[in-house]
Amino acid sequence: MQLMYSFIIPVFNRPNEIQELLDSFLELKTACTFEIIIVEDGSTKSSKQVVDSYTSKLDISYFFKENSGPGASRNYGMQRANGNYFIILDSDCILPSQYLNAVNNSLQHNYVDCFGGPDAAHASFSNLQKAINFSMTSFLTTGGIRGHKNSIDTFQPRSFNMGLSKKAFHETQGFGRIHPGEDPDLTIRLWTKGFKTNLIPEAYVFHKRRISWSKFYTQVNKFGMVRPILNYWHPETKKITYWFPFLFSFSCILSLLLTVFGILWPLYCVFLYYILVLVSATIQNKSIIIGFQSLIATTIQFFGYGYGFIKSTLTLTLFNKKPEEAFPKLFFKIK
């Protein structure tokens, strides 16, 4: 099958990110044909001037639309793309030079209508970015569920680095209005229609999250709130693994309470886990500072996600509220 790739990149108020990403496109070592579609999602800080500076170097198109969220912006871009296979990226990603060859080689040998790739930390990332990257990708955290070959769950691509065939896009109509959570929702609907998904481990990107501790908490808290909504829409996808962050958080609190009664072994188990995280993060990043920051990131990830998950679960089950009624801020209005 002859594949022509269209990169779909929504952007919101981040022209500097687009410049870094487009610079990485110039470094791609590939003979594959590709175009780039930039969709400005109602930004007040326009990326047009940055994009225009690359028009003589790359096959690139720029579109501006009213703000309606990343899912609708990706759909907007795919509707206007010329390729037959779309690759969706977040604007805060940087591509390694072998990226497109890795994608193309995999699809030529094992074609699927939807793929996902992992994220990695670039050497230039800050300590905070590396610590958060560890918590989001390590096998010791929820990263072990969402992004590796030996995933214990069926792989669900994430839209920061995701491929989708034109056929699959037309049959599913692309992303829905929920955000975050629009990517697993699309994946589940793809499965329902018989499409297959796959992880391409070699097709990683450097995911340069512009984030702080507070923003990271807000992000993972929303992830937690979204998962019960997806379970509500797609009950066949419920997994015990989605409860792990809440159960871990609850266990940490319980272990502290039990010390009042002289029961210490649960707290020792928690300490052992944190030691494993510290050692693993320190070795991976060659920095004890990043190791300790990874402890903070892991704690925020589990407690933020766990709280959002149980809050959403109770709201949807005990109080029998509809998702859009209970959590209107998680849904964009299509304009």
Side-chain angles (χ1 to χ4, degrees):
M1 180 179 181
Q2 187 65 36
L3 297 176
M4 192 279 185
Y5 297 100
S6 294
F7 285 89
I8 312 298
I9 307 164
V11 60
F12 180 70
N13 287 340
R14 291 182 173 181
N16 291 338
E17 285 184 352
I18 285 296
Q19 183 168 356
E20 286 186 293
L21 177 52
L22 294 179
D23 280 340
S24 71
F25 273 103
L26 295 176
E27 301 300 320
L28 284 180
K29 296 176 181 178
T30 183
C32 297
T33 302
F34 69 90
E35 65 171 350
I36 304 169
I37 308 292
I38 305 293
V39 181
E40 191 93 62
D41 186 27
S43 300
T44 56
K45 298 178 181 178
S46 174
S47 300
K48 189 176 189 308
Q49 186 175 356
V50 173
V51 174
D52 286 346
S53 67
Y54 289 85
T55 54
S56 62
K57 308 169 190 175
L58 296 166
D59 182 0
I60 188 168
S61 301
Y62 172 90
F63 298 94
F64 182 92
K65 54 178 278 298
E66 289 187 70
N67 179 254
S68 57
S73 297
R74 298 179 192 118
N75 293 343
Y76 185 97
M78 288 186 281
Q79 289 164 354
R80 287 155 180 79
N82 296 312
N84 57 11
Y85 208 102
F86 310 130
I87 299 178
I88 300 155
L89 301 173
D90 278 357
S91 62
D92 58 356
C93 291
I94 300 172
L95 298 180
S97 60
Q98 86 289 348
Y99 175 85
L100 190 51
N101 281 344
V103 170
N104 190 62
N105 290 340
S106 179
L107 293 179
Q108 294 297 339
H109 289 91
N110 180 28
Y111 181 83
V112 289
D113 285 280
C114 179
F115 77 85
D119 50 348
H122 193 271
S124 66
F125 285 12
S126 69
N127 287 350
L128 175 61
Q129 288 170 326
K130 290 177 181 178
I132 290 176
N133 179 79
F134 176 86
S135 72
M136 295 290 281
T137 61
S138 173
F139 72 95
L140 289 173
T141 67
T142 59
I145 298 173
R146 76 184 186 94
H148 293 276
K149 278 183 181 179
N150 299 323
S151 171
I152 62 176
D153 195 1
T154 304
F155 184 72
Q156 297 182 7
R158 293 294 187 262
S159 52
F160 67 85
N161 180 14
M162 179 180 188
L164 185 68
S165 72
K166 185 175 183 179
K167 177 183 178 182
F169 169 64
H170 284 307
E171 290 203 21
T172 58
Q173 299 302 304
F175 296 94
R177 297 190 299 109
I178 193 171
H179 177 73
E182 70 275 16
D183 32 15
D185 172 58
L186 173 57
T187 299
I188 296 165
R189 289 187 285 110
L190 285 165
W191 292 339
T192 300
K193 289 184 175 293
F195 292 105
K196 293 183 179 180
T197 61
N198 191 24
L199 170 70
I200 304 179
E202 300 79 14
Y204 62 89
V205 299
F206 299 115
H207 199 181
K208 197 171 186 177
R209 297 178 178 90
R210 316 288 187 177
I211 206 161
S212 63
W213 291 127
S214 61
K215 290 180 179 178
F216 183 51
Y217 174 83
T218 299
Q219 182 185 60
V220 295
N221 182 248
K222 286 183 177 180
F223 288 162
M225 287 192 289
V226 160
R227 180 51 65 179
I229 295 175
L230 297 176
N231 292 342
Y232 176 85
W233 287 343
H234 312 285
E236 73 280 5
T237 65
K238 291 181 180 179
K239 300 285 184 181
I240 188 62
T241 52
Y242 298 142
W243 284 83
F244 283 0
F246 166 72
L247 294 175
F248 175 82
S249 303
F250 179 78
S251 298
C252 288
I253 295 171
L254 181 61
S255 68
L256 290 172
L257 294 176
L258 288 175
T259 60
V260 176
F261 301 98
I263 303 174
L264 300 179
W265 67 264
L267 190 62
Y268 294 155
C269 292
V270 173
F271 281 152
L272 177 61
Y273 170 77
Y274 274 111
I275 289 171
L276 290 174
V277 170
L278 175 63
V279 171
S280 179
T282 299
I283 293 173
Q284 178 176 312
N285 293 284
K286 299 180 176 62
S287 169
I288 187 67
I289 294 175
I290 298 175
F292 279 107
Q293 286 183 317
S294 296
L295 295 181
I296 299 172
T298 300
T299 302
I300 291 174
Q301 183 186 27
F302 279 125
F303 276 81
Y305 185 104
Y307 173 65
F309 181 86
I310 197 65
K311 173 184 175 182
S312 181
T313 298
L314 293 176
T315 301
L316 297 179
T317 55
L318 294 184
F319 301 107
N320 200 29
K321 285 191 174 183
K322 302 295 183 184
E324 292 188 45
E325 175 190 354
F327 305 106
K329 292 184 178 180
L330 296 177
F331 295 86
F332 278 92
K333 294 181 179 179
I334 303 298
K335 299 180 181 179

